[in-house]
Amino acid sequence: MENIDFSKFEKNILDKGFVRLVDMMGDDYAAVKAARVSYGQGLKTPERDKALIMYLMEHGHETPFEHIVFTFHAKAPLFVARQWFRHRIGSFNEISQRYTEIKDEEFYIPSNVRVNVPEDRQKAVQLNDEELLRKVIDMMENVFDESYKIYKELIGLGVARELARIVLPLATYTQFYWTVNARSLMNFLNLRADSHAQWEIQQYAIAIADIFKETCPWTYEAFIKYGYRGDLL
C-alpha cells in the first residue's frame, strides 16, 4: 500500500465531525496470501484470487481478513465515541481533556429530532417537525452555553482541566485514532451500519464502509454478499 493517497479518504460527518483513513497495511491480496499460506501457496490470477475471497467469506473462514489493517482518525461527539469504544477488538488513542482545553464551538448540534418506538427500545424514528427541532436545538444550545461558561470560569479560578471538564455535556466533540483489522471492521459495520444503531454513529459507519469499499473492493463485495447482517449498506 506504499502508493496509496490517503488524502482522498476523508469524509465530513455530522456538523463538525470527520473520519479519515491515515494508514493501512495490506489489501485484498493480503487476505489471499494469508489464506493460501496454509498450502504453501501464494497469489495466482486475479480471477482465482477474488474467487478465494468469496469462498472464504461464504464459508465463514474470516481469520485471513485480520491481515488487512486500517488506522482511522475520527472526530465525533462523546456519546458516539463511547458507543464506538465498545468494539473491543481494535486499538484506540483519544485526545485528552486533561491536557487540552475545549473550545466553545466543539459541541454537536443535531440536524433532526427523533422519538422512541414503544415496540422496539433500540430504535428511534425521525419526525418531520421543524418547530420541535428548533425548540430542541434552542434548549440544547442553552445548556451547552451554560456548561461551557462554567467550564471556563472553573479554569479561570485555577481549577485543573481534568476537574473542570466534568461539567461538559456528552455532545462535546472528541478525537481519536482507531486501528482495526478488516474482520473486526466488518463486525463494526454489522452492528453500526444498521437501523437499530443510533443515527449519529450510523453516519460514521456508512462513511467507513465507503472507505472499506474503495480500498478492499473484493473483500467488501464478499462481505455484502455473504457476511453483512445490517440494513443500510
Side-chain angles (χ1 to χ4, degrees), residues 39-66:
Y39 299 94
Q41 299 177 358
L43 299 177
K44 297 184 179 179
T45 65
E47 293 75 18
R48 294 180 68 182
D49 292 342
K50 180 178 180 179
L52 175 58
I53 283 180
M54 293 293 175
Y55 177 89
L56 293 170
M57 197 74 71
E58 181 180 9
H59 295 278
H61 301 308
E62 297 179 349
T63 54
F65 300 107
E66 295 177 10

Side-chain angles (χ1 to χ4, degrees), residues 141-155:
E141 287 181 333
N142 288 336
V143 171
F144 301 160
D145 290 344
E146 184 64 19
S147 295
Y148 188 74
K149 176 185 174 184
I150 295 172
Y151 170 75
K152 292 292 288 184
E153 287 177 355
L154 289 169
I155 290 177

Side-chain angles (χ1 to χ4, degrees), residues 71-88:
T71 297
F72 295 96
H73 179 190
K75 180 180 179 182
L78 281 169
F79 68 88
V80 171
R82 295 302 164 257
Q83 295 174 49
W84 203 322
F85 288 12
R86 295 182 70 180
H87 294 264
R88 295 176 180 86

Side-chain angles (χ1 to χ4, degrees), residues 65-111:
F65 300 107
E66 295 177 10
H67 297 273
I68 307 169
V69 180
F70 304 86
T71 297
F72 295 96
H73 179 190
K75 180 180 179 182
L78 281 169
F79 68 88
V80 171
R82 295 302 164 257
Q83 295 174 49
W84 203 322
F85 288 12
R86 295 182 70 180
H87 294 264
R88 295 176 180 86
I89 303 179
S91 299
F92 294 93
N93 279 89
E94 185 179 11
I95 192 171
S96 174
Q97 292 177 356
R98 294 183 67 196
Y99 308 137
T100 61
E101 190 170 319
I102 302 301
K103 298 178 181 178
D104 60 352
E105 71 271 15
E106 290 296 286
F107 300 99
Y108 167 59
I109 306 298
S111 61

Side-chain angles (χ1 to χ4, degrees), residues 25-26 28 31 46 64 96 100 123 133 136 154 169 179 185-186 188 228:
M25 182 184 75
D28 290 325
S96 174
T100 61
K123 198 168 186 177
L133 175 60
V136 168
L154 289 169
T179 298
L185 184 145
M186 289 185 282
F188 175 85
Y228 179 54

Side-chain angles (χ1 to χ4, degrees), residues 9-58:
F9 298 115
E10 178 174 349
K11 298 179 183 295
N12 294 323
I13 316 291
L14 305 182
D15 58 341
K16 307 176 187 75
F18 61 74
V19 63
R20 59 172 70 116
L21 181 66
V22 296
D23 205 356
M24 184 175 178
M25 182 184 75
D27 53 14
D28 290 325
Y29 290 109
V32 172
K33 289 186 285 188
R36 288 216 179 101
V37 75
S38 300
Y39 299 94
Q41 299 177 358
L43 299 177
K44 297 184 179 179
T45 65
E47 293 75 18
R48 294 180 68 182
D49 292 342
K50 180 178 180 179
L52 175 58
I53 283 180
M54 293 293 175
Y55 177 89
L56 293 170
M57 197 74 71
E58 181 180 9

